[in-house]
Amino acid sequence: MKPMIFMEHVQKSFKGNKVLHDINCKVNEGEIFGLLGPSGAGKTTIINILTHQINADGGSYSIGAKPLETGLMLDEDGLYVRLTCLENLNVFAGIYGMPKEKSMEALESVGLGDAAKKSVSQLSKGMRQRLALARAILHKPKVLFLDEPTAALDPATAKGIHKLIESLRAKGTTIFLTTHNMDEAIKLCDNVALLYKGKIVEYGAPTEICTRHNSIKTVPDLEAVFLKLTGASLD
């Protein structure tokens, strides 16, 4: 099976400081892939390279989707704070050549239907996050990049986002997400990579990684695996 996302021997430095060392991974079509690691490990740099926001210094990489077939939700949401939720999505519906009624559908899918006429400046952080996700899935992308998609969300809302992510995967969307939440990785991801100081130190199915390390099978102990391999916390 040809991977939808592919990276081989990817390297990147900033001002002489090497932030990615020989990154190798692949994500097959319809897979949910999780990238886990502490702040500064290089997770955002990998996403920026894959989405062609920056260039790698070496190696090869590709995405099996055109730019307009890719969805992106980053920590910096880039929302228009003076516009309403619906107006924000209508801007992007116009860019994608989609009818505006699709904007309302996207809002309802993330539980923001009742906030359609509320300006972004009035939204909580969690609501802004859901709006950014609605924007990312508005055009039904083939490949979706999600950076901490449920951070700052209450458990009930996070559970709803999980169901949405799983429904997107069921429709064939390939999803690449970063998370610090071990339980989230176990629930959602087919495969995960543990990233530390720009190096992938473990790669595979979450349960297989647990089994490889002292027959660990519980969610909290996956973090113990990371600590054992790197001596560093995921926080």
Side-chain angles (χ1 to χ4, degrees):
M1 180 183 293
K2 184 179 179 180
M4 183 63 76
I5 299 173
F6 170 83
M7 301 185 81
E8 187 173 62
H9 305 306
V10 170
Q11 303 173 49
K12 182 64 180 178
S13 297
F14 293 106
K15 297 181 179 180
N17 178 35
K18 200 158 193 175
V19 295
L20 294 180
H21 304 257
D22 196 36
I23 298 297
N24 298 277
C25 77
K26 67 176 181 177
V27 183
N28 291 322
E29 184 176 3
E31 180 181 338
I32 299 178
F33 176 81
L35 185 62
L36 297 92
S39 298
K43 301 188 299 298
T44 300
T45 300
I46 287 176
I47 289 179
N48 286 341
I49 287 173
L50 288 172
T51 54
H52 300 286
Q53 297 181 74
I54 60 175
N55 294 320
D57 296 333
S60 58
Y61 52 95
S62 65
I63 299 178
K66 299 175 183 178
L68 289 180
E69 296 174 331
T70 300
L72 180 62
M73 174 190 165
L74 294 177
D75 185 48
E76 294 293 331
D77 56 48
L79 297 168
Y80 300 109
V81 296
R82 294 185 180 180
L83 299 183
T84 66
C85 295
L86 186 59
E87 288 168 343
N88 264 270
L89 294 197
N90 282 343
V91 169
F92 286 87
I95 292 172
Y96 296 126
M98 302 177 66
K100 290 185 177 180
E101 52 263 30
K102 295 297 182 182
S103 298
M104 195 63 198
E105 289 181 17
L107 286 176
E108 290 172 345
S109 72
V110 297
L112 286 178
D114 291 340
K117 295 183 179 180
K118 183 177 289 188
S119 70
V120 171
S121 62
Q122 297 175 297
L123 302 181
S124 66
K125 179 176 174 57
M127 293 174 74
R128 286 183 65 135
Q129 232 170 324
R130 282 187 278 159
L131 180 57
L133 178 56
R135 184 184 62 191
I137 65 173
L138 174 65
H139 58 303
K140 295 180 171 57
K142 287 184 178 180
V143 178
L144 180 61
F145 291 91
L146 302 175
D147 191 8
E148 302 280 347
T150 59
L153 298 182
D154 63 85
T157 303
K159 185 177 181 180
I161 297 301
H162 287 170
K163 288 183 178 180
L164 175 60
I165 290 172
E166 289 171 337
S167 71
L168 291 168
R169 188 256 296 274
K171 295 174 183 176
T173 303
T174 304
I175 299 169
F176 186 113
L177 65 86
T178 68
T179 180
H180 284 169
N181 188 319
M182 298 298 99
D183 185 58
E184 184 167 71
I186 291 287
K187 288 178 179 177
L188 293 178
C189 299
D190 299 291
N191 289 292
V192 300
L194 303 185
L195 187 70
Y196 179 64
K197 291 187 176 180
K199 298 179 181 179
I200 292 178
V201 297
E202 263 289 16
Y203 180 95
T207 52
E208 290 177 358
I209 291 175
C210 291
T211 302
R212 283 202 295 268
H213 295 272
N214 302 321
S215 298
I216 298 169
K217 295 181 180 180
T218 58
V219 171
D221 283 337
L222 184 55
E223 184 163 13
V225 170
F226 191 92
L227 289 166
K228 176 184 175 183
L229 288 168
T230 68
S233 169
L234 281 173
D235 296 327

